[in-house]
Amino acid sequence: MYPLRRNRRLRTNESMRSLVRETIISPNDFIVPLFVVEGKGVKEEIASMPNYYRLSLDILQKEVKELWKLGLKSVLLFVKVDDKLKDNSGKEALNADGLMQRAIKTVKNAVPEMIVMTDVALDPFSIYGHDGIISEGKVLNDDTNAVLAEMSLSHAMAGADIVAPSDMMDGRIFEIRTLLEDEGFCDTGIMAYSAKYASAFYGPFRDALDSAPVDAKDIPKDKKTYQMDYGNREEAIREALMDIDEGADIVMVKPGLCYLDIVRDIKEVVNVPVAVYQVSGEYAMLKAAAEKGWLDHDAVLLEQVTAIKRAGASMIASYFAKDVAKLIN
């Protein structure tokens, strides 16, 4: 007790604080989300995500080489699909020569050691902007799962190390795992978006991919029939445990900062790595506040990612990954 015990002794200077620090951030903690578009020489800034870009394949090749030099060893790929290729069945998602499949090969050819994760969901390919097939005003669960499994197989055949189903359909992890095993891709990992909440923080991401739900008759106006209600906590644990039982190697909580209680809850009950997605709205808010001079960008950024890891994240998907790596290095 005081004065025999003085906690401030271990806070006297930065060397001392570093010595006893419990949570250490490194580039190894990060997954870098990347947006890919058709074309050549394209580096197109996303208006609602300052200093973040859509990249054509030739620029993607240069980007992943730079990321590797910074110590960032994992990327998560998303594709912006031309409107003329969109439908209600996800046909283009299964194209062996589709943009995603070529992006996977581009990354692997540029940096063979880079871990390539791929988004598995139908919204970038859907004329309706939903993660599944639409029929009679509803998102079909089982029909969608069949397409997601084939999509995952296509990504694995192209060279993906980990497929990342972000759709929130019931049972899709089992369908994907079963097909991968049947086709001999037993080493392909699955990172399940297990606790993906119906959040208002996704707006800039949907701008990046032009994948927001369309405003049309008989089309669900949002994704609340499959993404989780943000008022629920115990449901997140059930979702994570079910995904693990179905074959998930990693489970994810999305978004990040507003859901750190969920991260801790899940971390305490699972025996697999827990990923957290620090989403586009979180990125945009800090960028906007820093631009106004209201927050110290770098100081707040490091505090945020440290908080996410401290809560229990084994890895963090973040648009700030490159910024953090530069700050650390």
Side-chain angles (χ1 to χ4, degrees), residues 57-177:
L57 294 177
D58 55 324
I59 305 300
L60 173 67
Q61 184 177 40
K62 296 176 183 177
E63 180 69 12
V64 295
K65 289 180 179 179
E66 182 180 349
L67 295 175
W68 187 261
K69 289 179 181 178
L70 289 170
L72 295 162
K73 301 172 183 175
S74 177
V75 296
L76 176 56
L77 300 179
F78 299 90
V79 294
K80 187 178 187 296
V81 179
D82 193 295
D83 285 347
K84 68 178 183 290
L85 297 175
K86 296 181 180 182
D87 59 20
N88 188 35
S89 67
K91 180 180 178 181
E92 178 60 21
L94 309 183
N95 181 357
D97 195 37
L99 182 56
M100 176 64 85
Q101 289 77 359
R102 284 180 283 131
I104 296 166
K105 294 174 183 177
T106 296
V107 175
K108 281 297 186 182
N109 287 337
V111 186
E113 300 90 348
M114 182 72 78
I115 298 299
V116 177
M117 302 181 177
T118 58
D119 179 52
V120 175
L122 295 188
D123 51 330
F125 304 91
S126 169
I127 55 175
Y128 300 124
H130 274 282
D131 293 47
I133 297 167
I134 303 287
S135 179
E136 298 181 352
K138 295 182 179 180
V139 179
L140 301 182
N141 192 92
D142 296 359
D143 290 359
T144 297
N145 282 346
V147 180
L148 295 175
E150 292 290 345
M151 187 177 176
S152 298
L153 177 61
S154 178
H155 294 182
M157 293 174 69
D161 299 289
I162 296 174
V163 295
S166 61
D167 55 285
M168 289 298 287
M169 299 298 120
D170 291 333
R172 89 276 201 209
I173 302 303
F174 178 78
E175 295 292 334
I176 293 169
R177 183 79 270 162

Side-chain angles (χ1 to χ4, degrees), residues 214-289:
V214 300
D215 183 10
K217 184 180 179 182
D218 297 328
I219 302 300
K221 65 179 181 179
D222 53 42
K223 302 188 178 186
K224 293 180 180 179
T225 64
Y226 46 100
Q227 294 179 356
M228 281 184 55
D229 185 326
Y230 60 70
N232 292 355
R233 186 174 183 176
E234 294 180 1
E235 182 185 10
I237 297 173
R238 293 198 300 271
E239 288 278 7
L241 292 175
M242 288 175 66
D243 284 348
I244 293 168
D245 286 344
E246 292 175 18
D249 302 285
I250 302 167
V251 294
M252 179 189 281
V253 177
K254 181 181 179 182
L257 285 176
C258 289
Y259 297 86
L260 297 187
D261 58 326
I262 308 301
V263 177
R264 174 49 55 185
D265 286 345
I266 290 176
K267 182 71 171 180
E268 290 179 348
V269 299
V270 304
N271 56 2
V272 301
V274 177
V276 173
Y277 204 138
Q278 187 181 28
V279 300
S280 59
E282 298 173 73
Y283 177 89
M285 287 194 302
L286 179 51
K287 289 294 183 182

Side-chain angles (χ1 to χ4, degrees), residues 185-234:
F185 289 92
C186 56
D187 290 332
T188 302
I190 298 176
M191 179 171 69
Y193 286 58
S194 298
K196 181 179 180 180
Y197 285 85
S199 171
F201 283 93
Y202 303 148
F205 174 92
R206 291 171 183 169
D207 292 343
L209 296 184
D210 188 24
S211 61
V214 300
D215 183 10
K217 184 180 179 182
D218 297 328
I219 302 300
K221 65 179 181 179
D222 53 42
K223 302 188 178 186
K224 293 180 180 179
T225 64
Y226 46 100
Q227 294 179 356
M228 281 184 55
D229 185 326
Y230 60 70
N232 292 355
R233 186 174 183 176
E234 294 180 1

